[in-house]
Amino acid sequence: MLHQTGASRLVPALQDLSVHRTFHACAAAHAKPRRQRNRNNPFALNAMKHFQYDDIPTHGHMKLQKQRQLLGYYRLLKNEFPQLHELAEPFQPPPAQNILQFTFTHYQGEEHPNARKVVLHVNVEDLAKVHALDTTYAKHKFLLLAGSRWQPTSPALVGRLNAALAQSKEALDAAYNAEPLGVVTIASTAYPHEPQNMKWCSDVLDRMIEEANKEPSFADIPLDVRPYIKSNARGGQTLRPTVSDFPAEWL
């Protein structure tokens, strides 16, 4: 009797626990039937009607959109571009004093980390023409300060300048005035905006010119030839090839 009485007491409790547990854990009790859900969904495949051949496919709409875009450009070319003649100005070449060339990189309105980069190019002969580098020793010290940023016209020029430096001042003057000396390049990406990097490159060039005209002149230090030579497998060093090293029929 005690066992039956205990079992009869536990059965309702277990039934209540199973009911509450099923109602709480099962999401299907709150879900609507699939047919009822699809009846109210306008994007359901079963609710879509059959194609009545009264429209064009997606590819056709894309082609029409492309034609509308081209027509918009044609209208702009026909109606707006003739008005730009009123804003046209004759080209004025830069004066001889403007010897600095700045290179900017743009990506047609897109944001890019490299869009802030500014590169400054200046010819060493132009610095001498505007009297920024007055003496031959100033040119030599300027090339020493430039280092690998100096791009000579040929790798052999570095050897000829060093050979003239070892001989005498007259030979050095003749070597620096005999042929073009190349271009010095200064680049900057340190700042977030182009004008800031442009100003930094210009300031660096001004400091280099100022230091090149100061004493000491470093006339006993030759130019570094390592950026303009290459090493072979046996440890020797040869000059890098230039355009003059290739046959004429190859060019």
mmCIF file of all heavy atoms in Angstrom, residues 162-211:
data_model
loop_
_atom_site.group_PDB
_atom_site.id
_atom_site.type_symbol
_atom_site.label_atom_id
_atom_site.label_comp_id
_atom_site.label_asym_id
_atom_site.label_seq_id
_atom_site.Cartn_x
_atom_site.Cartn_y
_atom_site.Cartn_z
ATOM 1 N N ASN A 162 84.311 60.185 -58.839
ATOM 2 C CA ASN A 162 85.248 59.797 -57.776
ATOM 3 C C ASN A 162 86.689 59.841 -58.267
ATOM 4 O O ASN A 162 87.599 60.222 -57.516
ATOM 5 C CB ASN A 162 84.903 58.400 -57.267
ATOM 6 C CG ASN A 162 83.626 58.384 -56.442
ATOM 7 O OD1 ASN A 162 83.236 59.398 -55.866
ATOM 8 N ND2 ASN A 162 82.963 57.247 -56.389
ATOM 9 N N ALA A 163 86.915 59.449 -59.517
ATOM 10 C CA ALA A 163 88.270 59.523 -60.069
ATOM 11 C C ALA A 163 88.729 60.970 -60.193
ATOM 12 O O ALA A 163 89.888 61.295 -59.897
ATOM 13 C CB ALA A 163 88.310 58.829 -61.430
ATOM 14 N N ALA A 164 87.845 61.866 -60.604
ATOM 15 C CA ALA A 164 88.213 63.280 -60.685
ATOM 16 C C ALA A 164 88.428 63.881 -59.301
ATOM 17 O O ALA A 164 89.282 64.764 -59.128
ATOM 18 C CB ALA A 164 87.128 64.046 -61.433
ATOM 19 N N LEU A 165 87.685 63.417 -58.311
ATOM 20 C CA LEU A 165 87.873 63.904 -56.949
ATOM 21 C C LEU A 165 89.247 63.522 -56.415
ATOM 22 O O LEU A 165 89.874 64.302 -55.673
ATOM 23 C CB LEU A 165 86.769 63.335 -56.050
ATOM 24 C CG LEU A 165 86.793 63.727 -54.574
ATOM 25 C CD1 LEU A 165 86.543 65.227 -54.412
ATOM 26 C CD2 LEU A 165 85.752 62.946 -53.780
ATOM 27 N N ALA A 166 89.760 62.373 -56.790
ATOM 28 C CA ALA A 166 91.077 61.941 -56.325
ATOM 29 C C ALA A 166 92.215 62.660 -57.035
ATOM 30 O O ALA A 166 93.353 62.651 -56.524
ATOM 31 C CB ALA A 166 91.226 60.433 -56.512
ATOM 32 N N GLN A 167 91.963 63.285 -58.171
ATOM 33 C CA GLN A 167 93.030 63.939 -58.927
ATOM 34 C C GLN A 167 93.277 65.374 -58.427
ATOM 35 O O GLN A 167 94.273 65.644 -57.761
ATOM 36 C CB GLN A 167 92.684 63.944 -60.417
ATOM 37 C CG GLN A 167 92.637 62.550 -61.040
ATOM 38 C CD GLN A 167 92.229 62.576 -62.483
ATOM 39 O OE1 GLN A 167 92.044 63.651 -63.075
ATOM 40 N NE2 GLN A 167 92.054 61.402 -63.080
ATOM 41 N N SER A 168 92.387 66.287 -58.754
ATOM 42 C CA SER A 168 92.582 67.691 -58.386
ATOM 43 C C SER A 168 91.250 68.410 -58.456
ATOM 44 O O SER A 168 90.251 67.877 -58.943
ATOM 45 C CB SER A 168 93.606 68.362 -59.307
ATOM 46 O OG SER A 168 93.139 68.324 -60.651
ATOM 47 N N LYS A 169 91.255 69.663 -57.995
ATOM 48 C CA LYS A 169 90.030 70.452 -58.041
ATOM 49 C C LYS A 169 89.667 70.811 -59.473
ATOM 50 O O LYS A 169 88.482 70.887 -59.824
ATOM 51 C CB LYS A 169 90.203 71.719 -57.214
ATOM 52 C CG LYS A 169 88.925 72.554 -57.109
ATOM 53 C CD LYS A 169 89.145 73.784 -56.262
ATOM 54 C CE LYS A 169 87.829 74.566 -56.103
ATOM 55 N NZ LYS A 169 87.261 74.974 -57.401
ATOM 56 N N GLU A 170 90.663 71.061 -60.332
ATOM 57 C CA GLU A 170 90.373 71.380 -61.719
ATOM 58 C C GLU A 170 89.713 70.197 -62.423
ATOM 59 O O GLU A 170 88.761 70.369 -63.201
ATOM 60 C CB GLU A 170 91.648 71.787 -62.446
ATOM 61 C CG GLU A 170 92.234 73.122 -62.007
ATOM 62 C CD GLU A 170 92.934 73.035 -60.661
ATOM 63 O OE1 GLU A 170 93.158 71.885 -60.184
ATOM 64 O OE2 GLU A 170 93.233 74.101 -60.071
ATOM 65 N N ALA A 171 90.190 69.006 -62.159
ATOM 66 C CA ALA A 171 89.575 67.820 -62.759
ATOM 67 C C ALA A 171 88.157 67.608 -62.230
ATOM 68 O O ALA A 171 87.256 67.193 -62.971
ATOM 69 C CB ALA A 171 90.434 66.584 -62.472
ATOM 70 N N LEU A 172 87.934 67.927 -60.933
ATOM 71 C CA LEU A 172 86.598 67.784 -60.374
ATOM 72 C C LEU A 172 85.630 68.793 -60.994
ATOM 73 O O LEU A 172 84.478 68.450 -61.305
ATOM 74 C CB LEU A 172 86.660 67.964 -58.856
ATOM 75 C CG LEU A 172 85.360 67.699 -58.095
ATOM 76 C CD1 LEU A 172 84.938 66.241 -58.231
ATOM 77 C CD2 LEU A 172 85.518 68.068 -56.613
ATOM 78 N N ASP A 173 86.107 70.037 -61.201
ATOM 79 C CA ASP A 173 85.251 71.038 -61.845
ATOM 80 C C ASP A 173 84.892 70.619 -63.263
ATOM 81 O O ASP A 173 83.742 70.774 -63.700
ATOM 82 C CB ASP A 173 85.958 72.394 -61.868
ATOM 83 C CG ASP A 173 86.143 72.953 -60.463
ATOM 84 O OD1 ASP A 173 85.387 72.518 -59.559
ATOM 85 O OD2 ASP A 173 87.032 73.804 -60.268
ATOM 86 N N ALA A 174 85.868 70.096 -63.986
ATOM 87 C CA ALA A 174 85.595 69.661 -65.357
ATOM 88 C C ALA A 174 84.628 68.485 -65.391
ATOM 89 O O ALA A 174 83.761 68.400 -66.276
ATOM 90 C CB ALA A 174 86.910 69.297 -66.044
ATOM 91 N N ALA A 175 84.721 67.577 -64.427
ATOM 92 C CA ALA A 175 83.842 66.409 -64.410
ATOM 93 C C ALA A 175 82.407 66.793 -64.076
ATOM 94 O O ALA A 175 81.462 66.258 -64.657
ATOM 95 C CB ALA A 175 84.364 65.382 -63.406
ATOM 96 N N TYR A 176 82.231 67.750 -63.144
ATOM 97 C CA TYR A 176 80.886 68.151 -62.765
ATOM 98 C C TYR A 176 80.217 69.039 -63.804
ATOM 99 O O TYR A 176 78.992 69.171 -63.798
ATOM 100 C CB TYR A 176 80.911 68.868 -61.413
ATOM 101 C CG TYR A 176 80.779 67.928 -60.234
ATOM 102 C CD1 TYR A 176 81.905 67.398 -59.606
ATOM 103 C CD2 TYR A 176 79.529 67.559 -59.769
ATOM 104 C CE1 TYR A 176 81.786 66.536 -58.532
ATOM 105 C CE2 TYR A 176 79.397 66.695 -58.700
ATOM 106 C CZ TYR A 176 80.520 66.186 -58.078
ATOM 107 O OH TYR A 176 80.391 65.319 -57.018
ATOM 108 N N ASN A 177 81.007 69.661 -64.666
ATOM 109 C CA ASN A 177 80.440 70.524 -65.700
ATOM 110 C C ASN A 177 80.400 69.873 -67.075
ATOM 111 O O ASN A 177 79.905 70.491 -68.016
ATOM 112 C CB ASN A 177 81.240 71.827 -65.788
ATOM 113 C CG ASN A 177 81.164 72.633 -64.496
ATOM 114 O OD1 ASN A 177 80.130 72.650 -63.828
ATOM 115 N ND2 ASN A 177 82.269 73.281 -64.147
ATOM 116 N N ALA A 178 80.888 68.657 -67.196
ATOM 117 C CA ALA A 178 80.989 68.024 -68.515
ATOM 118 C C ALA A 178 79.673 67.429 -68.969
ATOM 119 O O ALA A 178 79.352 67.457 -70.161
ATOM 120 C CB ALA A 178 82.084 66.956 -68.500
ATOM 121 N N GLU A 179 78.859 66.882 -68.067
ATOM 122 C CA GLU A 179 77.640 66.160 -68.450
ATOM 123 C C GLU A 179 76.579 66.323 -67.374
ATOM 124 O O GLU A 179 76.878 66.764 -66.256
ATOM 125 C CB GLU A 179 77.957 64.677 -68.648
ATOM 126 C CG GLU A 179 78.648 64.009 -67.470
ATOM 127 C CD GLU A 179 79.009 62.574 -67.756
ATOM 128 O OE1 GLU A 179 78.159 61.873 -68.334
ATOM 129 O OE2 GLU A 179 80.123 62.162 -67.409
ATOM 130 N N PRO A 180 75.329 65.998 -67.700
ATOM 131 C CA PRO A 180 74.267 66.104 -66.692
ATOM 132 C C PRO A 180 74.512 65.179 -65.506
ATOM 133 O O PRO A 180 75.070 64.084 -65.635
ATOM 134 C CB PRO A 180 73.003 65.698 -67.465
ATOM 135 C CG PRO A 180 73.339 65.934 -68.891
ATOM 136 C CD PRO A 180 74.809 65.670 -69.034
ATOM 137 N N LEU A 181 74.089 65.633 -64.353
ATOM 138 C CA LEU A 181 74.349 64.902 -63.111
ATOM 139 C C LEU A 181 73.178 64.055 -62.642
ATOM 140 O O LEU A 181 73.325 63.304 -61.681
ATOM 141 C CB LEU A 181 74.733 65.895 -62.005
ATOM 142 C CG LEU A 181 75.996 66.720 -62.266
ATOM 143 C CD1 LEU A 181 76.221 67.703 -61.137
ATOM 144 C CD2 LEU A 181 77.205 65.821 -62.445
ATOM 145 N N GLY A 182 72.028 64.165 -63.274
ATOM 146 C CA GLY A 182 70.912 63.323 -62.883
ATOM 147 C C GLY A 182 69.912 64.050 -62.003
ATOM 148 O O GLY A 182 69.898 65.282 -61.901
ATOM 149 N N VAL A 183 69.072 63.258 -61.338
ATOM 150 C CA VAL A 183 67.918 63.766 -60.589
ATOM 151 C C VAL A 183 67.996 63.273 -59.153
ATOM 152 O O VAL A 183 68.417 62.144 -58.889
ATOM 153 C CB VAL A 183 66.596 63.299 -61.245
ATOM 154 C CG1 VAL A 183 65.387 63.830 -60.478
ATOM 155 C CG2 VAL A 183 66.543 63.735 -62.697
ATOM 156 N N VAL A 184 67.578 64.126 -58.235
ATOM 157 C CA VAL A 184 67.443 63.769 -56.819
ATOM 158 C C VAL A 184 65.951 63.657 -56.507
ATOM 159 O O VAL A 184 65.167 64.561 -56.840
ATOM 160 C CB VAL A 184 68.122 64.803 -55.911
ATOM 161 C CG1 VAL A 184 67.807 64.520 -54.444
ATOM 162 C CG2 VAL A 184 69.619 64.775 -56.136
ATOM 163 N N THR A 185 65.554 62.553 -55.890
ATOM 164 C CA THR A 185 64.158 62.260 -55.597
ATOM 165 C C THR A 185 63.954 62.192 -54.086
ATOM 166 O O THR A 185 64.710 61.516 -53.385
ATOM 167 C CB THR A 185 63.729 60.934 -56.238
ATOM 168 O OG1 THR A 185 63.950 61.006 -57.649
ATOM 169 C CG2 THR A 185 62.263 60.658 -55.977
ATOM 170 N N ILE A 186 62.915 62.893 -53.611
ATOM 171 C CA ILE A 186 62.549 62.887 -52.194
ATOM 172 C C ILE A 186 61.061 62.575 -52.108
ATOM 173 O O ILE A 186 60.244 63.240 -52.759
ATOM 174 C CB ILE A 186 62.859 64.232 -51.522
ATOM 175 C CG1 ILE A 186 64.339 64.581 -51.680
ATOM 176 C CG2 ILE A 186 62.489 64.199 -50.044
ATOM 177 C CD1 ILE A 186 64.686 65.975 -51.166
ATOM 178 N N ALA A 187 60.685 61.574 -51.332
ATOM 179 C CA ALA A 187 59.294 61.151 -51.205
ATOM 180 C C ALA A 187 58.884 61.176 -49.742
ATOM 181 O O ALA A 187 59.725 61.058 -48.835
ATOM 182 C CB ALA A 187 59.081 59.758 -51.785
ATOM 183 N N SER A 188 57.583 61.321 -49.516
ATOM 184 C CA SER A 188 57.064 61.362 -48.149
ATOM 185 C C SER A 188 55.636 60.826 -48.118
ATOM 186 O O SER A 188 54.816 61.153 -48.983
ATOM 187 C CB SER A 188 57.079 62.795 -47.608
ATOM 188 O OG SER A 188 56.458 62.865 -46.341
ATOM 189 N N THR A 189 55.372 59.988 -47.116
ATOM 190 C CA THR A 189 54.017 59.514 -46.790
ATOM 191 C C THR A 189 53.755 59.616 -45.290
ATOM 192 O O THR A 189 52.871 58.946 -44.767
ATOM 193 C CB THR A 189 53.822 58.055 -47.237
ATOM 194 O OG1 THR A 189 54.843 57.236 -46.618
ATOM 195 C CG2 THR A 189 53.918 57.920 -48.750
ATOM 196 N N ALA A 190 54.523 60.460 -44.593
ATOM 197 C CA ALA A 190 54.455 60.510 -43.139
ATOM 198 C C ALA A 190 53.212 61.217 -42.636
ATOM 199 O O ALA A 190 52.752 60.940 -41.525
ATOM 200 C CB ALA A 190 55.705 61.193 -42.581
ATOM 201 N N TYR A 191 52.647 62.108 -43.436
ATOM 202 C CA TYR A 191 51.523 62.922 -42.983
ATOM 203 C C TYR A 191 50.245 62.506 -43.716
ATOM 204 O O TYR A 191 50.306 61.971 -44.823
ATOM 205 C CB TYR A 191 51.810 64.404 -43.203
ATOM 206 C CG TYR A 191 53.003 64.895 -42.424
ATOM 207 C CD1 TYR A 191 54.256 64.977 -43.015
ATOM 208 C CD2 TYR A 191 52.882 65.253 -41.083
ATOM 209 C CE1 TYR A 191 55.370 65.408 -42.300
ATOM 210 C CE2 TYR A 191 53.981 65.691 -40.357
ATOM 211 C CZ TYR A 191 55.214 65.771 -40.967
ATOM 212 O OH TYR A 191 56.300 66.190 -40.248
ATOM 213 N N PRO A 192 49.077 62.793 -43.156
ATOM 214 C CA PRO A 192 47.832 62.283 -43.756
ATOM 215 C C PRO A 192 47.362 63.049 -44.981
ATOM 216 O O PRO A 192 46.480 62.565 -45.692
ATOM 217 C CB PRO A 192 46.814 62.404 -42.614
ATOM 218 C CG PRO A 192 47.345 63.496 -41.746
ATOM 219 C CD PRO A 192 48.833 63.420 -41.838
ATOM 220 N N HIS A 193 47.925 64.239 -45.269
ATOM 221 C CA HIS A 193 47.434 65.052 -46.375
ATOM 222 C C HIS A 193 48.583 65.383 -47.325
ATOM 223 O O HIS A 193 49.754 65.472 -46.919
ATOM 224 C CB HIS A 193 46.797 66.344 -45.857
ATOM 225 C CG HIS A 193 45.660 66.129 -44.908
ATOM 226 N ND1 HIS A 193 44.435 65.618 -45.302
ATOM 227 C CD2 HIS A 193 45.571 66.339 -43.569
ATOM 228 C CE1 HIS A 193 43.634 65.536 -44.255
ATOM 229 N NE2 HIS A 193 44.294 65.953 -43.184
ATOM 230 N N GLU A 194 48.218 65.586 -48.591
ATOM 231 C CA GLU A 194 49.218 65.873 -49.611
ATOM 232 C C GLU A 194 49.981 67.171 -49.347
ATOM 233 O O GLU A 194 51.211 67.186 -49.483
ATOM 234 C CB GLU A 194 48.549 65.923 -50.987
ATOM 235 C CG GLU A 194 48.161 64.569 -51.547
ATOM 236 C CD GLU A 194 47.564 64.691 -52.930
ATOM 237 O OE1 GLU A 194 47.285 65.837 -53.347
ATOM 238 O OE2 GLU A 194 47.370 63.664 -53.594
ATOM 239 N N PRO A 195 49.322 68.291 -49.028
ATOM 240 C CA PRO A 195 50.105 69.520 -48.787
ATOM 241 C C PRO A 195 51.128 69.387 -47.665
ATOM 242 O O PRO A 195 52.208 69.989 -47.734
ATOM 243 C CB PRO A 195 49.015 70.544 -48.443
ATOM 244 C CG PRO A 195 47.782 70.034 -49.079
ATOM 245 C CD PRO A 195 47.874 68.545 -48.981
ATOM 246 N N GLN A 196 50.817 68.592 -46.649
ATOM 247 C CA GLN A 196 51.782 68.402 -45.563
ATOM 248 C C GLN A 196 53.011 67.640 -46.049
ATOM 249 O O GLN A 196 54.155 68.019 -45.741
ATOM 250 C CB GLN A 196 51.113 67.660 -44.410
ATOM 251 C CG GLN A 196 49.998 68.429 -43.743
ATOM 252 C CD GLN A 196 49.279 67.616 -42.696
ATOM 253 O OE1 GLN A 196 49.158 66.396 -42.812
ATOM 254 N NE2 GLN A 196 48.771 68.276 -41.662
ATOM 255 N N ASN A 197 52.800 66.574 -46.821
ATOM 256 C CA ASN A 197 53.939 65.830 -47.357
ATOM 257 C C ASN A 197 54.712 66.669 -48.379
ATOM 258 O O ASN A 197 55.945 66.559 -48.475
ATOM 259 C CB ASN A 197 53.444 64.535 -48.004
ATOM 260 C CG ASN A 197 52.912 63.554 -46.978
ATOM 261 O OD1 ASN A 197 53.528 63.296 -45.956
ATOM 262 N ND2 ASN A 197 51.737 63.007 -47.242
ATOM 263 N N MET A 198 54.012 67.477 -49.146
ATOM 264 C CA MET A 198 54.686 68.363 -50.095
ATOM 265 C C MET A 198 55.577 69.363 -49.371
ATOM 266 O O MET A 198 56.722 69.616 -49.785
ATOM 267 C CB MET A 198 53.617 69.071 -50.935
ATOM 268 C CG MET A 198 54.149 69.968 -52.009
ATOM 269 S SD MET A 198 52.777 70.703 -52.947
ATOM 270 C CE MET A 198 53.688 71.770 -54.050
ATOM 271 N N LYS A 199 55.082 69.942 -48.305
ATOM 272 C CA LYS A 199 55.886 70.888 -47.505
ATOM 273 C C LYS A 199 57.071 70.191 -46.875
ATOM 274 O O LYS A 199 58.188 70.762 -46.797
ATOM 275 C CB LYS A 199 54.998 71.507 -46.433
ATOM 276 C CG LYS A 199 55.692 72.567 -45.574
ATOM 277 C CD LYS A 199 56.066 73.768 -46.401
ATOM 278 C CE LYS A 199 56.489 74.948 -45.509
ATOM 279 N NZ LYS A 199 57.591 74.633 -44.596
ATOM 280 N N TRP A 200 56.894 68.956 -46.424
ATOM 281 C CA TRP A 200 58.008 68.231 -45.806
ATOM 282 C C TRP A 200 59.124 67.984 -46.825
ATOM 283 O O TRP A 200 60.304 68.178 -46.517
ATOM 284 C CB TRP A 200 57.512 66.904 -45.243
ATOM 285 C CG TRP A 200 58.558 66.146 -44.495
ATOM 286 C CD1 TRP A 200 58.893 66.247 -43.185
ATOM 287 C CD2 TRP A 200 59.449 65.157 -45.047
ATOM 288 N NE1 TRP A 200 59.907 65.385 -42.867
ATOM 289 C CE2 TRP A 200 60.276 64.700 -44.002
ATOM 290 C CE3 TRP A 200 59.608 64.608 -46.310
ATOM 291 C CZ2 TRP A 200 61.254 63.740 -44.179
ATOM 292 C CZ3 TRP A 200 60.592 63.645 -46.503
ATOM 293 C CH2 TRP A 200 61.399 63.215 -45.455
ATOM 294 N N CYS A 201 58.775 67.561 -48.029
ATOM 295 C CA CYS A 201 59.791 67.339 -49.066
ATOM 296 C C CYS A 201 60.526 68.633 -49.404
ATOM 297 O O CYS A 201 61.750 68.644 -49.581
ATOM 298 C CB CYS A 201 59.134 66.758 -50.323
ATOM 299 S SG CYS A 201 58.433 65.110 -50.124
ATOM 300 N N SER A 202 59.790 69.728 -49.501
ATOM 301 C CA SER A 202 60.429 71.014 -49.799
ATOM 302 C C SER A 202 61.357 71.448 -48.671
ATOM 303 O O SER A 202 62.458 71.960 -48.923
ATOM 304 C CB SER A 202 59.349 72.070 -50.042
ATOM 305 O OG SER A 202 59.938 73.326 -50.305
ATOM 306 N N ASP A 203 60.960 71.224 -47.431
ATOM 307 C CA ASP A 203 61.825 71.596 -46.300
ATOM 308 C C ASP A 203 63.090 70.746 -46.256
ATOM 309 O O ASP A 203 64.179 71.249 -45.941
ATOM 310 C CB ASP A 203 61.055 71.456 -44.991
ATOM 311 C CG ASP A 203 59.937 72.477 -44.863
ATOM 312 O OD1 ASP A 203 59.955 73.474 -45.615
ATOM 313 O OD2 ASP A 203 59.025 72.255 -44.035
ATOM 314 N N VAL A 204 62.966 69.469 -46.574
ATOM 315 C CA VAL A 204 64.148 68.601 -46.593
ATOM 316 C C VAL A 204 65.126 69.067 -47.664
ATOM 317 O O VAL A 204 66.349 69.109 -47.456
ATOM 318 C CB VAL A 204 63.735 67.142 -46.812
ATOM 319 C CG1 VAL A 204 64.943 66.267 -47.100
ATOM 320 C CG2 VAL A 204 63.007 66.618 -45.586
ATOM 321 N N LEU A 205 64.619 69.440 -48.837
ATOM 322 C CA LEU A 205 65.492 69.940 -49.895
ATOM 323 C C LEU A 205 66.177 71.239 -49.475
ATOM 324 O O LEU A 205 67.377 71.435 -49.752
ATOM 325 C CB LEU A 205 64.683 70.145 -51.170
ATOM 326 C CG LEU A 205 65.458 70.675 -52.377
ATOM 327 C CD1 LEU A 205 66.542 69.696 -52.796
ATOM 328 C CD2 LEU A 205 64.510 70.961 -53.535
ATOM 329 N N ASP A 206 65.462 72.118 -48.806
ATOM 330 C CA ASP A 206 66.074 73.367 -48.335
ATOM 331 C C ASP A 206 67.180 73.100 -47.331
ATOM 332 O O ASP A 206 68.249 73.747 -47.374
ATOM 333 C CB ASP A 206 65.007 74.270 -47.721
ATOM 334 C CG ASP A 206 64.000 74.763 -48.749
ATOM 335 O OD1 ASP A 206 64.332 74.742 -49.954
ATOM 336 O OD2 ASP A 206 62.876 75.154 -48.342
ATOM 337 N N ARG A 207 66.970 72.155 -46.433
ATOM 338 C CA ARG A 207 68.013 71.834 -45.446
ATOM 339 C C ARG A 207 69.220 71.191 -46.117
ATOM 340 O O ARG A 207 70.376 71.442 -45.725
ATOM 341 C CB ARG A 207 67.444 70.918 -44.369
ATOM 342 C CG ARG A 207 66.418 71.599 -43.468
ATOM 343 C CD ARG A 207 66.206 70.806 -42.191
ATOM 344 N NE ARG A 207 65.704 69.480 -42.456
ATOM 345 C CZ ARG A 207 64.410 69.160 -42.498
ATOM 346 N NH1 ARG A 207 63.492 70.098 -42.299
ATOM 347 N NH2 ARG A 207 64.019 67.928 -42.737
ATOM 348 N N MET A 208 68.985 70.360 -47.125
ATOM 349 C CA MET A 208 70.113 69.751 -47.843
ATOM 350 C C MET A 208 70.943 70.803 -48.565
ATOM 351 O O MET A 208 72.188 70.754 -48.550
ATOM 352 C CB MET A 208 69.580 68.711 -48.837
ATOM 353 C CG MET A 208 68.999 67.468 -48.196
ATOM 354 S SD MET A 208 68.227 66.349 -49.396
ATOM 355 C CE MET A 208 69.608 65.984 -50.460
ATOM 356 N N ILE A 209 70.281 71.769 -49.199
ATOM 357 C CA ILE A 209 71.013 72.836 -49.893
ATOM 358 C C ILE A 209 71.776 73.694 -48.896
ATOM 359 O O ILE A 209 72.933 74.089 -49.144
ATOM 360 C CB ILE A 209 70.029 73.680 -50.723
ATOM 361 C CG1 ILE A 209 69.425 72.832 -51.853
ATOM 362 C CG2 ILE A 209 70.712 74.908 -51.288
ATOM 363 C CD1 ILE A 209 68.342 73.535 -52.634
ATOM 364 N N GLU A 210 71.156 73.964 -47.763
ATOM 365 C CA GLU A 210 71.839 74.771 -46.743
ATOM 366 C C GLU A 210 73.071 74.060 -46.205
ATOM 367 O O GLU A 210 74.135 74.676 -46.029
ATOM 368 C CB GLU A 210 70.860 75.091 -45.616
ATOM 369 C CG GLU A 210 71.430 75.969 -44.529
ATOM 370 C CD GLU A 210 70.435 76.238 -43.416
ATOM 371 O OE1 GLU A 210 69.284 75.747 -43.532
ATOM 372 O OE2 GLU A 210 70.801 76.921 -42.444
ATOM 373 N N GLU A 211 72.972 72.772 -45.942
ATOM 374 C CA GLU A 211 74.127 72.026 -45.442
ATOM 375 C C GLU A 211 75.188 71.849 -46.522
ATOM 376 O O GLU A 211 76.388 71.789 -46.214
ATOM 377 C CB GLU A 211 73.673 70.663 -44.932
ATOM 378 C CG GLU A 211 72.836 70.717 -43.670
ATOM 379 C CD GLU A 211 73.625 71.230 -42.474
ATOM 380 O OE1 GLU A 211 74.868 71.026 -42.463
ATOM 381 O OE2 GLU A 211 73.018 71.828 -41.576
#
